[in-house]
Amino acid sequence: VINNYVEGTLEGTRDKTSPSGLHFRDSKRKVDYVLAYHYRRSLARHAPGAASPEPRRGSPSVALVSNGGTGKGRAEPQQQQDHGQRALPEWPGLPGLELLELSPLDALEEERRLQREEYERNLLEAGLEIEKDPENKSQGLSFVRIHAPWQVLSREAELLKIKMPTKKMYEITEEKGILKTLNEIWCKLTEPLQPQVPQQENTKMKTLSYPFSREKIYLYNIKDKDTFFDSATRSRIVREILKRTSTKARSSMGIGTLIANNVYDAAYPLHDGEYEGQNDDMNERKLLYQEWARYGVFYKFQPIDLISQRALPHYTAYICNTNIYTYYFIKYAVSYNAIFPCILFKSIVLSKEMCDQRNAFTMCPLCDKFCDYWNLSSACATARASHLFDNPATVFFSIFMALWATMFLEQWKRLQMRLSYFWDLTGLEEEEEHPRPEYETKLLQKKLKNKNITTENSNENEKEKLTWSDRMPGYAANFGLILFMVMLTFSAVFGVIVYRITTAAALSFSTNETTRSNVRVTVTATAVLINLVVVLILDEIYGAVAKWLTEIEIPKTEKTFEERLILKAFLLKFVNSYASIFYVAFFKGRFVGRPGRYVYVFEGYRMEECAPGGCLMELCIQLSIIMLGKQLIQNNLFEIGIPKLKKLFRKLKDERTEVKEMDTNQSKDPQQWDLDYILEPFTGLTPEYMEMIIQFGFVTLFVASFPLAPVFALLNNIIEVRLDAKKFVTELRRPDTVREKDIGIWYNILSGIGKLSVIINAFVIAVTSDFIPRLMYQYAYSQNGTMHGFINHTLSYFNVSQLKAGTQPENSLFAQEVSFCRFKDYREPPWSPHQYEFSKQYWAVLSARLAFVILFQNLVMFLSVLVDWMIPDIPKDISEQIKKEKAMLVDFFLKEEHEKLKLIESFVARDKQKRRSGARGRRSRAASFSQCHRSPKGSFTSFSSQHTVV
């Protein structure tokens, strides 16, 4: 199985390096997977009186290659020879040699080397072929290249039930009538936007696919065994073998355990070449870079088919999800731009009363002692800006976004089914997952603790698993730490509130008139920036904490680990991102009190109030800065900078740890496995989906307060698509193929946010905005049915003589003497018998707010369910094609089996005819022969032995 060491010249070895970096040294066998590890060689010394010590190393110009054959007899001498060179205690007869006393570091390295050797022997037994770099330095980086021959590929494809194309092709039913015409017109209009990638020759035809079976190999369209399985399928098969191949040392199961124990550093498939260079050879990676990953092609559609061929279905599903998401943002942007002029005109009308200088509304001081009375008309600019978002169109946009979210999810389900059909994922069964290395380690510790490792009950140990009592410490730590993190987020929000209150009070003491007049703007802007920094820092902390909490739970499989990690990370990041926004939307200004009886914190600081135009404008500012800041810094700058920094750090670390020795066996040009090792490993799509989910929350949960959020999200996504593409093509290793029918738990989270957005928008419209008070005034209190007098209706009176001692304005510069000041609330006037109590208008408006929440929620939920019911999850044409494919598959099998049966029958008939003609000749010969000799009784010839094997 293992070839002998190949002795040769240095030049000969260098020439054997594959020129493309994608094949073995014979330039024939393709590299399907690569294992990388760092090695450190220990030294052997001669006994006293012998020659000087010399490193134990083989020839510097050799490569260990396996040919995948079955000549096991030839393997034994070489294995013994190899152990003779490396494990000196097995050769006590060698004169004058003894092993150095190993340090703990050398002992650990020796253990890892033995595990690697055993693991690679097991890979050879599984049928794989490997090629190793020689370890000709005292320490360094080495690679094991793996090739899967046809026998292994066909065997594993059958075990994994991988669907492969058969010889049968059928025509896809096309849309007819007006839909076909519209589709043709759309294709012509969007032709300049299509990427310049090779297209399928006949898009109207589809190949019939069926799970691979070696017994039915005649069904498949096998033109070349080397290209029948594409590179993604080959790497997937090798990965499955690597995951289930075990070693006896530490009961490690698979490559995951070995990487976790630092036996290997990495395991990855290769990119199919460089994405840029002087050579004119075009490969899929270079094509993707030119037509997908460059910012110059931002206006073009994404090459979905090419991405799915090169990458993997679940990554392409993420791309398609982002496409639909962005497409629906375009719809929203068009509708918003169409209605925005009407909103602008309406806002000018609503703010006239507040901005009119003749309406002298003298307002109560905003702080004690140092703040003066002020005119409401001074807040004219704030009122105009607030009315851009606080208007009747807000209700329309909220309903529209609720239906938008429902239609987006329904459209995604339909596209998901369509992609599953074209990618042959329909009927995909759940594959049995291997346990995670951490689970195996914990289970082994449990077995050792219970002293159950015996030969007699080994079968029982295999069934043993971790119970809830084993995981109880992890569950308790999860509950406690998640609760602590949530409280930490609330504490950070409270800290920002204290900052706003104290800073506003400090700036009010300033002698500078400009500073005092811009207190609210200064405090709001700086507080939001501080909040943004806190959110970004806590986001990174929570991501690491969520991963650690999931690890101590010890989930059994990677899928379970991923789902639990997603739920924890989403919970923590959801609270972190939206806590401050919830405060401004629903709590700020609700617990202020009234003049003469304000609510104080820290015995001297009044609770902060909303701006004269309401809290909606401040909510809009808070939402826009946090959303844009997260998108710009976290989603864009971090995605560009962090992979580059990690790549640079890994390169510098390898250069620093490797001893500067002359490696004459190293090729001048780095091979593809060297280039890919420097890249950042692909760790999954959780960060990308998390970005989209948080953005989806910003867009849907508070669209009533910031209708421009979808427009900014659209601009971000146009950039984000190319950033993800560039990162995928240039900064990450090639990911392993994972075949999944859907996006899993992410769809449930999106659906949950869509339903939650209906409730939150209902409360934002009813509680935070002035939509309900305006509606009540216009139809219940206005004398002429107009909005004139609305501002006066919402302001209550307060007798300034009733202000507490020490809170009156000092050195008031107000132009006229003030007897009564106004404040925004529905309370009885000073001359009423029930002065300063809530008025009847307050309770009427409160009842209307609650009624609106119930009505809005039920109406939108009903419309969402109606849309969900009207749009089928599976497109009609796809449903018909799936039924047609099943019927055609049965017909194809029956036809092939019928032809096979006819072939067998023709062989049998021909054989019978030969036997009849042969029997006549034997009878004539037997008649003459039987006179002198009779054949033994009972002798006969087996009927089956006379047939030719078909």
Side-chain angles (χ1 to χ4, degrees):
V1 178
I2 306 176
N3 288 349
N4 293 332
Y5 282 110
V6 183
E7 300 289 348
T9 61
L10 303 181
E11 292 78 14
T13 306
R14 190 181 300 119
D15 293 338
K16 289 180 182 179
T17 304
S18 172
S20 64
L22 301 174
H23 295 81
F24 278 11
R25 296 184 188 274
D26 57 10
S27 299
K28 295 179 181 179
R29 289 175 290 179
K30 185 177 181 181
V31 177
D32 297 317
Y33 224 85
V34 173
L35 306 179
Y37 64 92
H38 280 88
Y39 65 88
R40 180 176 179 274
R41 300 175 65 88
S42 57
L43 301 178
R45 68 181 181 184
H46 289 271
S52 60
E54 193 164 323
R56 270 187 305 143
R57 64 179 69 175
S59 173
S61 60
V62 300
L64 178 62
V65 184
S66 78
N67 55 18
T70 57
K72 294 184 179 180
R74 291 176 305 204
E76 301 296 332
Q78 174 56 32
Q79 290 177 4
Q80 293 175 3
Q81 178 186 350
D82 185 51
H83 283 286
Q85 289 179 353
R86 309 184 80 138
L88 294 181
E90 298 181 9
W91 295 83
L94 289 177
L97 280 177
E98 62 177 5
L99 190 65
L100 280 172
E101 187 175 335
L102 295 178
S103 64
L105 186 62
D106 287 337
L108 180 61
E109 180 60 34
E110 185 68 14
E111 181 184 357
R112 290 172 180 170
R113 181 187 63 79
L114 293 175
Q115 286 189 25
R116 285 195 293 268
E117 290 180 353
E118 182 187 357
Y119 185 70
E120 288 158 16
R121 284 198 300 271
N122 293 340
L123 293 180
L124 293 173
E125 292 177 2
L128 296 176
E129 301 174 8
I130 65 173
E131 180 182 72
K132 291 186 67 174
D133 285 337
E135 299 178 3
N136 52 7
K137 296 196 295 185
S138 60
Q139 62 179 1
L141 177 66
S142 187
F143 297 94
V144 178
R145 296 172 287 281
I146 301 174
H147 169 76
W150 168 259
Q151 292 83 357
V152 175
L153 294 173
S154 57
R155 180 192 72 208
E156 296 297 323
E158 184 174 358
L159 291 175
L160 296 173
K161 299 180 181 178
I162 299 176
K163 285 188 175 183
M164 299 303 296
T166 62
K167 298 175 183 177
K168 178 68 176 177
M169 297 186 70
Y170 65 95
E171 187 175 0
I172 300 175
T173 304
E174 289 187 336
E175 297 174 338
K176 297 180 181 179
I178 189 170
L179 290 177
K180 182 179 180 181
T181 306
L182 291 175
N183 189 36
E184 291 176 352
I185 295 174
W186 174 253
C187 291
K188 289 181 180 179
L189 290 175
T190 58
E191 189 173 353
L193 306 179
Q194 298 293 338
Q196 302 299 318
V197 297
Q199 300 291 335
Q200 189 178 345
E201 295 179 0
N202 192 352
T203 56
K204 298 181 181 179
M205 302 297 292
K206 185 179 183 296
T207 305
L208 195 64
S209 298
Y210 184 73
F212 189 80
S213 173
R214 288 174 290 181
E215 292 182 355
K216 296 182 176 62
I217 199 168
Y218 55 88
L219 298 176
Y220 302 97
N221 187 23
I222 304 177
K223 297 179 181 178
D224 185 0
K225 289 185 177 181
D226 292 334
T227 58
F228 179 65
F229 295 102
D230 58 15
S231 58
T233 306
R234 296 175 70 100
S235 64
R236 177 192 172 194
I237 289 173
V238 175
R239 179 74 181 185
E240 287 297 324
I241 298 175
L242 294 176
K243 282 161 61 175
R244 70 167 184 258
T245 302
S246 61
T247 59
K248 294 179 182 179
R250 293 190 178 181
S251 300
S252 61
M253 180 67 183
I255 189 65
T257 309
L258 296 175
I259 292 177
N261 294 334
N262 296 318
V263 177
Y264 290 99
D265 290 344
Y268 52 91
L270 292 179
H271 285 294
D272 51 359
E274 297 186 49
Y275 62 91
E276 57 183 359
Q278 302 297 330
N279 56 342
D280 297 330
D281 297 335
M282 181 59 68
N283 55 62
E284 290 183 354
R285 189 185 184 196
K286 182 179 289 188
L287 189 59
L288 278 175
Y289 177 75
Q290 293 178 356
E291 297 295 328
W292 182 43
R294 292 189 302 111
Y295 295 110
V297 293
F298 74 94
Y299 60 92
K300 289 188 177 183
F301 296 140
Q302 301 189 73
I304 299 299
D305 292 334
L306 185 60
I307 298 170
S308 65
Q309 291 172 14
R310 170 176 172 72
L312 53 164
H314 78 290
Y315 189 89
T316 315
Y318 162 73
I319 298 295
C320 295
N321 197 321
T322 309
N323 280 353
I324 297 182
Y325 187 49
T326 307
Y327 171 67
Y328 272 81
F329 280 148
I330 295 174
K331 287 184 175 181
Y332 178 90
V334 171
S335 62
Y336 184 81
N337 288 331
I339 202 171
F340 184 75
C342 302
I343 298 174
L344 184 61
F345 175 75
K346 189 71 175 177
S347 68
I348 294 173
V349 174
L350 289 172
S351 57
K352 273 186 177 180
E353 185 180 3
M354 182 179 289
C355 297
D356 193 350
Q357 296 287 345
R358 293 172 295 179
N359 296 328
F361 296 116
T362 303
M363 306 299 292
C364 295
L366 295 175
C367 65
D368 295 342
K369 196 174 182 179
F370 295 98
C371 295
D372 202 354
Y373 303 104
W374 56 286
N375 279 324
L376 185 61
S377 58
S378 62
C380 177
T382 307
R384 288 182 185 275
S386 178
H387 288 315
L388 289 175
F389 304 105
D390 189 0
N391 53 71
T394 301
V395 181
F396 164 76
F397 279 123
S398 299
I399 298 174
F400 176 80
M401 281 305 295
L403 299 179
W404 176 92
T406 303
M407 293 182 68
F408 160 65
L409 294 174
E410 288 301 313
Q411 186 66 22
W412 166 243
K413 283 194 290 187
R414 289 169 61 83
L415 179 62
Q416 189 171 256
M417 196 64 209
R418 191 177 294 276
L419 294 175
S420 297
Y421 166 70
F422 282 106
W423 292 343
D424 295 321
L425 296 177
T426 53
L428 183 67
E429 299 178 0
E430 291 286 338
E431 297 179 2
E432 183 180 358
E433 289 193 73
H434 300 284
R436 298 177 63 249
E438 293 80 2
Y439 180 87
E440 289 181 330
T441 304
K442 187 69 175 179
L443 188 60
L444 179 61
Q445 292 174 357
K446 180 181 179 181
K447 292 177 181 179
L448 293 173
K449 184 178 180 181
N450 296 335
K451 299 180 181 180
N452 287 331
I453 302 181
T454 59
T455 309
E456 297 176 0
N457 60 356
S458 59
N459 293 332
E460 296 179 3
N461 286 337
E462 290 176 1
K463 297 179 182 178
E464 190 174 354
K465 60 182 181 181
L466 297 181
T467 60
W468 66 270
S469 58
D470 298 318
R471 295 189 173 98
M472 183 53 67
Y475 292 153
N478 269 262
F479 178 79
L481 274 176
I482 288 176
L483 186 61
F484 172 76
M485 292 297 171
V486 172
M487 296 306 297
L488 178 63
T489 302
F490 291 158
S491 301
V493 174
F494 181 72
V496 174
I497 294 172
V498 172
Y499 164 80
R500 295 159 70 106
I501 293 172
T502 54
T503 305
L507 293 178
S508 300
F509 300 157
S510 175
T511 56
N512 191 332
E513 182 64 27
T514 305
T515 303
R516 288 202 307 270
S517 60
N518 294 317
V519 167
R520 190 178 296 276
V521 176
T522 305
V523 170
T524 301
T526 55
V528 172
L529 291 176
I530 292 172
N531 210 347
L532 173 62
V533 173
V534 171
V535 166
L536 292 177
I537 294 174
L538 289 181
D539 249 5
E540 300 302 318
I541 295 174
Y542 288 168
V545 169
K547 186 176 180 180
W548 180 75
L549 288 176
T550 310
E551 287 174 349
I552 65 176
E553 275 189 26
I554 322 171
K556 183 175 182 180
T557 62
E558 285 294 339
K559 184 176 181 180
T560 309
F561 178 87
E562 194 75 14
E563 289 179 351
R564 295 184 183 182
L565 173 62
I566 289 169
L567 285 176
K568 290 181 184 63
F570 171 71
L571 173 63
L572 293 174
K573 293 190 176 186
F574 181 89
V575 174
N576 182 43
S577 299
Y578 303 127
S580 59
I581 299 173
F582 271 93
Y583 163 73
V584 175
F586 302 119
F587 298 100
K588 185 178 179 181
R590 302 287 183 271
F591 310 101
V592 177
R594 61 170 178 82
R597 193 178 290 177
Y598 284 112
V599 177
Y600 290 88
V601 291
F602 302 119
E603 301 181 357
Y605 296 101
R606 273 167 47 179
M607 286 293 292
E608 55 180 348
E609 304 178 42
C610 292
C615 280
L616 201 65
M617 187 61 197
E618 189 170 342
L619 177 61
C620 174
I621 295 172
Q622 182 98 1
L623 185 66
S624 60
I625 291 180
I626 292 179
M627 178 182 174
L628 295 177
K630 278 179 66 68
Q631 289 183 349
L632 178 64
I633 299 173
Q634 194 174 47
N635 298 1
N636 294 336
L637 294 182
F638 283 7
E639 281 198 13
I640 296 173
I642 290 179
K644 289 186 178 295
L645 290 176
K646 287 184 177 179
K647 179 180 176 181
L648 178 63
F649 176 75
R650 188 181 293 106
K651 187 175 180 180
L652 293 175
K653 180 181 177 182
D654 290 339
E655 290 177 354
R656 186 175 66 250
T657 55
E658 278 197 27
V659 180
K660 300 297 182 181
E661 298 179 25
M662 182 62 66
D663 189 359
T664 53
N665 187 53
Q666 184 73 24
S667 177
K668 291 182 179 179
D669 297 326
Q671 298 298 302
Q672 191 62 47
W673 47 84
D674 296 305
L675 299 173
D676 287 3
Y677 177 77
I678 302 173
L679 300 178
E680 182 73 10
F682 181 80
T683 55
L685 293 170
T686 300
E688 276 70 25
Y689 273 117
M690 190 64 72
E691 290 172 10
M692 189 179 74
I693 293 290
I694 297 298
Q695 186 194 76
F696 186 76
F698 280 121
V699 167
T700 55
L701 294 179
F702 298 97
V703 69
S705 60
F706 188 40
L708 286 175
V711 179
F712 286 113
L714 170 63
L715 297 176
N716 173 79
N717 286 358
I718 293 174
I719 301 172
E720 180 79 13
V721 163
R722 304 303 162 181
L723 273 178
D724 286 341
K726 190 177 181 64
K727 182 175 69 173
F728 177 74
V729 175
T730 65
E731 301 293 339
L732 298 178
R733 294 175 190 159
R734 186 167 185 168
D736 292 306
T737 304
V738 179
R739 299 180 70 81
E740 295 177 351
K741 293 188 292 185
D742 49 39
I743 59 175
I745 196 173
W746 294 112
Y747 180 84
N748 299 329
I749 295 176
L750 284 170
S751 180
I753 290 179
K755 291 179 174 60
L756 182 63
S757 68
V758 177
I759 302 172
I760 291 179
N761 280 305
F763 276 99
V764 168
I765 295 171
V767 177
T768 310
S769 75
D770 285 336
F771 173 73
I772 299 300
R774 288 196 196 104
L775 209 62
M776 286 292 294
Y777 177 78
Q778 185 173 3
Y779 293 103
Y781 300 107
S782 177
Q783 297 178 355
N784 52 7
T786 64
M787 293 302 297
H788 293 290
F790 171 71
I791 299 297
N792 185 50
H793 176 74
T794 59
L795 298 177
S796 298
Y797 287 90
F798 181 77
N799 190 344
V800 297
S801 63
Q802 296 178 350
L803 287 171
K804 288 184 179 180
T807 62
Q808 300 91 343
E810 289 185 351
N811 303 321
S812 176
L813 301 177
F814 206 67
Q816 56 193 15
E817 186 178 350
V818 178
S819 300
F820 297 95
C821 65
R822 310 293 295 271
F823 63 99
K824 189 174 183 180
D825 206 347
Y826 291 102
R827 291 183 181 267
E828 296 289 347
W831 51 84
S832 171
H834 308 285
Q835 60 179 359
Y836 306 133
E837 293 185 0
F838 288 119
S839 63
K840 294 179 179 179
Q841 289 89 342
Y842 171 83
W843 298 110
V845 170
L846 180 61
S847 302
R849 291 181 194 272
L850 297 177
F852 174 82
V853 169
I854 296 171
L855 179 64
F856 181 88
Q857 177 183 340
N858 285 279
L859 174 63
V860 176
M861 287 293 188
F862 170 76
L863 293 176
S864 300
V865 171
L866 183 64
V867 170
D868 189 2
W869 175 76
M870 292 177 62
I871 302 176
D873 293 345
I874 303 177
K876 186 178 179 181
D877 60 327
I878 296 298
S879 178
E880 292 176 354
Q881 293 290 352
I882 292 174
K883 294 177 182 177
K884 178 182 176 181
E885 188 173 287
K886 290 181 179 178
M888 292 188 68
L889 194 61
V890 173
D891 294 340
F892 179 58
F893 277 170
L894 290 176
K895 182 179 178 182
E896 291 291 333
E897 290 294 332
H898 184 64
E899 291 180 357
K900 180 181 177 182
L901 184 61
K902 287 174 66 176
L903 180 64
I904 293 174
E905 288 177 349
S906 65
F907 275 111
V908 171
R910 192 184 309 167
D911 199 26
K912 285 182 179 180
Q913 187 176 0
K914 289 181 179 180
R915 284 192 298 106
R916 288 195 189 101
S917 60
R920 294 193 190 98
R922 284 198 301 272
R923 287 195 196 102
S924 59
R925 290 193 299 272
S928 58
F929 182 73
S930 62
Q931 297 176 358
C932 58
H933 179 75
R934 188 175 296 274
S935 60
K937 185 178 180 180
S939 65
F940 64 95
T941 306
S942 174
F943 177 80
S944 61
S945 65
Q946 299 175 15
H947 290 278
T948 306
V949 178
V950 179

